Amino acid sequence: MITRRCFYSGAPRPWLFVGLGNPGDKYKGTRHNVGLEMIDTFAEAQGIEMNTLNCKAIFGQGFVDDAPILLAKPQTYMNLSGESTGPLAAYYKLPLNRVIVFHDDMDLPCGVLRLQDKGGHGSHNGLKSIIYHFRGNREFVRLRIGIGRPPGQMDPKAFLLQKFNASARERIDTALQEGVDGLKLVLSKGLTESARCFNTAQKYKHIRLQNMPI
């Protein structure tokens, strides 16, 4: 079990992975919930059980090799994600560069990922809430999960709450597995080197997917 006491024993400092989305079956499988799906995919791949509640989040903890990991799925609804994320980071006394937030991103094509060491909220309400609860500090890591833009004049809010069609679902499922590999690279190599390698591969994927309809 990972406790605050571990931080004084010379053990590696944990990473906190937070997946954003809305709780409940109504929202399961929607574009806005890919952050939660990324947590579930990572937890399953690493055999980490998500079976407790902590700071308004479904929570799990474990190790990947020697790296301690905390996994959280806030149950506050997207717009209040910071009410869970802020207290979790504070409780475990984590610097924000040990927090990685997984979230949907309309500025990336469907199925393309980016690791980013900091940034703004890009009008994403979950990120807005987290930045607010981090007292304006934006220097937490993000794993951006591309969902693409709404077609035509479609309302972006309606687009976010729709489920993926079959071809888009296939892209997302592939991206989630790639995300697991990228996160494991972060745990073993650190963020800077991992982000450079991971983002380069995703950039080539972006080019390859540009002319493929979904």
Side-chain angles (χ1 to χ4, degrees):
M1 183 175 180
I2 301 167
T3 66
R4 290 185 291 178
R5 187 175 297 178
C6 297
F7 307 154
Y8 304 103
S9 64
R13 189 178 290 272
W15 288 86
L16 171 61
F17 293 174
V18 180
L20 301 191
N22 290 308
D25 291 342
K26 176 181 176 181
Y27 300 102
K28 189 174 182 179
T30 61
R31 293 181 176 91
H32 219 20
N33 271 34
V34 290
L36 292 180
E37 289 192 48
M38 185 70 250
I39 286 282
D40 286 336
T41 303
F42 186 87
E44 183 178 354
Q46 304 309 309
I48 298 174
E49 293 186 357
M50 304 287 293
N51 57 2
T52 60
L53 284 173
N54 192 353
C55 297
K56 301 182 182 179
I58 295 175
F59 185 77
Q61 54 185 311
F63 290 84
V64 177
D65 295 325
D66 294 328
I69 300 295
L70 308 168
L71 304 179
K73 299 193 297 181
Q75 301 296 290
T76 56
Y77 289 94
M78 180 68 83
N79 295 2
L80 301 175
S81 299
E83 291 184 3
S84 173
T85 308
L88 276 170
Y91 178 81
Y92 287 99
K93 301 184 184 300
L94 297 176
L96 296 193
N97 63 5
R98 301 294 282 193
V99 177
I100 304 184
V101 175
F102 310 157
H103 67 91
D104 56 290
D105 195 315
M106 288 194 294
D107 289 331
L108 290 173
C110 182
V112 174
L113 308 179
R114 287 285 186 280
L115 270 170
Q116 189 171 318
D117 63 350
K118 58 186 175 182
H121 55 68
S123 298
H124 191 289
N125 288 330
L127 294 180
K128 284 182 184 178
S129 176
I130 290 172
I131 290 169
Y132 174 80
H133 284 273
F134 283 161
R135 300 181 180 181
N137 193 327
R138 304 178 176 205
E139 301 205 355
F140 56 93
V141 186
R142 303 101 191 281
L143 177 61
R144 301 165 56 200
I145 305 168
I147 59 170
R149 286 275 176 192
Q153 301 300 312
M154 185 178 184
D155 180 1
K157 291 181 181 178
F159 178 73
L160 289 172
L161 297 179
Q162 272 189 348
K163 296 189 177 184
F164 295 99
N165 63 28
S167 58
R169 181 73 255 177
E170 186 176 348
R171 284 195 187 188
I172 290 296
D173 289 342
T174 299
L176 295 176
Q177 295 302 323
E178 292 169 351
V180 170
D181 293 338
L183 292 165
K184 289 172 66 177
L185 196 62
V186 170
L187 298 176
S188 63
K189 301 289 187 183
L191 179 65
T192 302
E193 180 181 346
S194 302
R196 183 173 61 249
C197 296
F198 182 77
N199 290 342
T200 297
Q202 290 293 312
K203 195 173 295 184
Y204 284 119
K205 180 182 180 182
H206 181 177
I207 294 169
R208 191 171 70 250
L209 293 178
Q210 272 181 331
N211 297 317
M212 296 174 62
I214 57 172

